């Protein structure tokens, strides 16, 4: 466990800068290019993306995916891989050669040139929008196995959604060769559809613009770092209680009810429910027993926002001594890929204003999504960027600057006399009225 001192202002500033830069890099990794082409329709009715503009996930779903999956020609083929960025096209598509055939993206370039096409340079989390459209799709969904579209049973009376999961680029020994194989797969599937006379629109994208790091070389700084344990049970760890599973990590040193009761015995925690759905929704429920009697039950439901890319706790329920207390934990939120950490999460109150139930969590850390190697990712701390110490420093500095400005203004207002006594002339006299 790594302990970070909050009294060290310089170290705190360095860590905050690192966190900001990490979040900036994370934000960039969630913006992925999307290429669209169609053999049956024009894209003139779809919004055009301007340079530098990012299409958020919800707009991508409503303004692009839904129009392509409705109507008589609502057959959409989605080619998705783990990593794709504009830099990949620059590096591997031979873009600086005016006579280039597209490099490793030969088939994709051919379809974009020959058919009606549209390119979106930056779409925020397109994978989430695709997952949403799969859940709400009113037609027939086909998941292509072995990258063979010849066996797809298309329904002529309903729209069809075809999901083709391409080979992982991060797992390929050579990135260029990985893109080449995926391009060949796209060409083969599209030609099979054309041979069958299927009218379709196609989409090529990825879940991220950055390849996942290899497990062998991946190292992540976390406030807690633990070994693999897929049992999904509570264990004692670092003077606290840790719930360690493949998709949800939870650590708490103590749960305090009111001002007197502390729940901190790891052996008294028992998991009752645990679920993770497509990296969009996760839930965890557990109980705390005392002398074989359940005295507390707590359930958490976490979701990811398609717009901001942050995950948060949307629903929290606590049962204490037979009473139900829905809680407010909206401030427990972090960017995708980060864990949320708070040394002391205090003054948690019930949603009902007449309910006097209060709770606090000591040494709290939670990560419900993107868990890698059973370890917490970088911590998104509950301490705001402008903490009390920073405000005190800024106010003191501002007061010092104001004092200096006042002093300099006083010095600047001092003037020298412009008349002097002449010993040979008349003495200067100043009349004073009494």
């Amino acid at each position: 466990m790594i302990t970070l001192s909050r009294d060290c202002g310089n170290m705190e500033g360095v860590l905050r800068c690192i966190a900001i830069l990490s979040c900036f890099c994370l934000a960039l990794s969630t913006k992925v290019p999307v290429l669209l082409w169609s053999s049956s329709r024009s894209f003139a009715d779809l919004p055009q993306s301007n340079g530098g503009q990012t299409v958020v996930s919800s707009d991508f779903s409503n303004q692009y995916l839904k129009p392509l999956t409705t109507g008589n020609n609502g057959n959409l083929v989605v080619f998705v891989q783990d990593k794709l960025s504009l830099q990949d096209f620059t590096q591997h598509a031979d873009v600086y050669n005016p006579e280039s055939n597209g490099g490793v993206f030969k088939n994709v370039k051919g379809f974009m040139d020959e058919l009606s096409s549209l390119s979106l340079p930056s779409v925020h989390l397109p994978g989430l929008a695709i997952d949403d459209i799969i859940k709400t799709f009113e037609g027939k969904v086909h998941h292509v196995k072995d990258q063979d579209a010849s066996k797809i049973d298309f329904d002529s009376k309903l729209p069809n959604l075809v999901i083709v999961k391409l080979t992982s680029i991060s797992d390929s020994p050579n990135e260029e060769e990985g893109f080449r194989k995926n391009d060949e797969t796209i060409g083969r599937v599209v030609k099979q559809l054309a041979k069958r006379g299927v009218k379709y629109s196609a989409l090529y994208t990825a879940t991220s613009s950055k390849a996942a790091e290899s497990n062998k070389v991946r190292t992540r700084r976390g406030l807690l770092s633990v070994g693999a344990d897929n049992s999904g049970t509570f264990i004692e760890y670092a003077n606290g209680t840790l719930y360690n599973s493949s998709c949800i990590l939870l650590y708490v040193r103590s749960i305090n009810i009111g001002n007197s009761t502390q729940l901190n015995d790891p052996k008294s925690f028992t998991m009752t429910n645990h679920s993770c759905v497509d990296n969009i929704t996760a839930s965890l429920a557990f109980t705390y027993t005392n002398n074989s009697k359940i005295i507390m039950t707590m359930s958490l439901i976490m979701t990811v926002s398609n717009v901001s890319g942050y995950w948060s706790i949307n629903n929290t329920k606590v049962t204490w001594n037979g009473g139900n207390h829905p809680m407010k934990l909206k401030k427990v939120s972090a960017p995708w890929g980060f864990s949320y950490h708070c040394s002391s999460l205090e003054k948690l109150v019930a949603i009902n204003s007449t309910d006097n139930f209060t709770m606090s969590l000591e040494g709290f850390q939670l990560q419900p999504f993107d868990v890698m190697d059973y370890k917490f990712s970088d911590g998104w701390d509950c301490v705001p960027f402008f903490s009390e110490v920073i405000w005190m420093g800024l106010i003191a500095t501002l007061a010092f600057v104001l004092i200096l400005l006042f002093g300099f203004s006083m010095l600047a207002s001092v003037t020298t006399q412009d008349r002097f006594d002449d010993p040979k002339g008349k003495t200067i006299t100043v009349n004073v009225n009494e």
Side-chain angles (χ1 to χ4, degrees):
M1 180 176 180
I2 301 174
T3 303
L4 303 178
S5 173
R6 303 196 176 279
D7 296 327
C8 179
N10 294 333
M11 179 60 70
E12 183 181 18
V14 172
L15 292 176
R16 289 186 186 283
C17 291
I18 294 175
I20 292 172
L21 291 175
S22 301
C23 187
F24 177 73
C25 295
L26 177 67
L28 292 180
S29 69
T30 60
K31 297 178 181 179
V32 187
V34 175
L35 301 182
L36 300 161
W37 66 89
S38 178
S39 64
S40 60
R41 58 162 292 164
S42 169
F43 293 124
D45 59 321
L46 301 183
Q48 302 295 312
S49 178
N50 300 321
Q53 177 185 0
T54 297
V55 180
V56 298
S57 183
S58 58
D59 289 345
F60 179 63
S61 177
N62 296 327
Q63 300 177 8
Y64 295 92
L65 293 183
K66 288 184 178 180
L68 294 177
T69 54
T70 56
N72 297 329
N73 299 326
N75 297 323
L76 178 63
V77 184
V78 177
F79 298 97
V80 60
Q81 59 194 34
D82 62 329
K83 181 250 183 186
L84 184 67
S85 66
L86 294 177
Q87 287 76 12
D88 295 326
F89 291 109
T90 303
Q91 184 175 358
H92 302 297
D94 196 17
V95 295
Y96 297 107
N97 183 359
E99 300 179 357
S100 170
N101 62 356
V104 299
F105 299 99
K106 177 180 178 180
N107 289 293
V108 173
K109 183 179 185 298
F111 297 137
M112 294 288 289
D113 291 342
E114 297 171 6
L115 305 175
S116 175
S117 62
L118 175 66
S119 61
L120 305 176
S122 178
V123 177
H124 183 253
L125 294 174
L128 290 180
I130 294 172
D131 291 338
D132 287 342
I133 207 71
I134 291 175
K135 294 178 181 179
T136 59
F137 189 64
E138 297 180 354
K140 196 171 182 180
V141 180
H142 310 269
H143 292 274
V144 176
K145 296 182 180 180
D146 302 326
Q147 299 168 344
D148 186 5
S150 61
K151 301 177 182 179
I152 298 177
D153 182 19
F154 283 93
D155 192 329
S156 59
K157 298 181 180 179
L158 295 173
N160 294 269
L161 177 61
V162 182
I163 307 297
V164 182
K165 189 173 183 181
L166 301 173
T167 304
S168 172
I169 300 299
S170 2
D171 294 339
S172 302
N174 184 285
E175 186 179 85
E176 183 176 357
E177 189 62 27
F179 283 119
R180 189 187 306 277
K181 289 182 178 180
N182 285 346
D183 180 73
E184 293 173 354
T185 299
I186 294 173
R188 182 168 60 253
V189 171
V190 170
K191 290 175 182 177
Q192 289 173 346
L193 296 177
K195 187 176 181 180
R196 296 176 59 180
V198 177
K199 296 181 179 180
Y200 71 93
S201 297
L203 182 155
Y204 177 41
T205 188
T207 56
S208 174
S209 62
K210 183 179 179 182
E213 298 172 285
S214 171
N215 290 336
K216 295 181 180 180
V217 299
R218 184 185 182 96
T219 57
R220 305 181 71 168
R221 180 190 65 82
L223 300 179
L224 289 175
S225 184
V226 297
D229 180 5
N230 197 27
S231 61
T233 58
F234 288 91
I235 60 174
E236 182 177 358
Y237 184 80
N239 298 322
T241 303
L242 173 71
Y243 180 77
N244 189 12
S245 69
S246 59
C247 65
I248 297 179
L249 296 178
L250 170 68
Y251 174 84
V252 62
R253 189 174 298 114
S254 175
I255 300 178
N256 302 328
I257 307 297
N259 297 322
S260 57
T261 306
Q262 285 190 343
L263 310 179
N264 53 15
D265 183 9
K267 298 179 181 179
S268 298
F269 288 90
T270 303
M271 186 271 294
T272 59
N273 182 36
H274 166 143
S275 68
C276 303
V277 182
D278 298 331
N279 275 333
I280 297 176
T281 303
S283 64
L284 175 65
F286 57 89
T287 61
Y288 189 91
T289 59
N290 185 16
N291 296 328
S292 301
K293 179 182 178 182
I294 298 177
I295 62 173
M296 188 202 73
T297 300
M298 186 172 184
S299 64
L300 306 171
I301 298 179
M302 290 73 65
T303 58
V304 177
S305 170
N306 288 348
V307 177
S308 65
Y310 278 60
W311 64 263
S312 60
I313 298 180
N314 282 358
N315 189 296
T316 306
K317 293 182 180 179
V318 177
T319 302
W320 172 252
N321 287 338
N324 295 322
H325 309 280
M327 304 294 294
K328 296 178 181 179
L329 266 73
K330 288 290 186 180
K331 58 183 176 182
V332 178
S333 177
W336 174 271
F338 280 72
S339 64
Y340 177 87
H341 171 264
C342 195
S343 297
S344 182
L345 197 59
E346 299 178 343
K347 299 180 181 179
L348 301 177
V349 298
I351 295 177
N352 188 352
S353 58
T354 60
D355 191 343
N356 295 324
F357 181 83
T358 60
M359 180 179 67
S360 63
L361 304 174
E362 300 293 333
F364 178 76
Q365 189 167 4
L366 173 67
Q367 183 172 353
F369 303 104
D370 197 30
V371 174
M372 305 283 291
D373 302 333
Y374 302 90
K375 297 179 180 179
F376 279 107
S377 301
D378 296 337
W380 188 261
D381 207 275
C382 62
V383 177
F385 183 76
F386 286 101
S387 62
E388 294 179 359
V389 176
I390 295 177
W391 278 118
M392 291 174 61
L394 291 176
I395 293 174
T397 303
L398 179 61
F400 179 71
V401 171
L402 291 176
I403 293 173
L404 286 179
L405 291 176
F406 178 77
F408 283 125
S409 65
M410 292 296 100
L411 290 175
S413 65
V414 175
T415 58
T416 57
Q417 62 182 21
D418 55 356
R419 298 184 64 187
F420 300 93
D421 283 337
D422 185 359
K424 298 180 179 180
K426 187 178 179 181
T427 302
I428 296 176
T429 59
V430 178
N431 296 324
V432 179
N433 296 328
E434 296 187 7

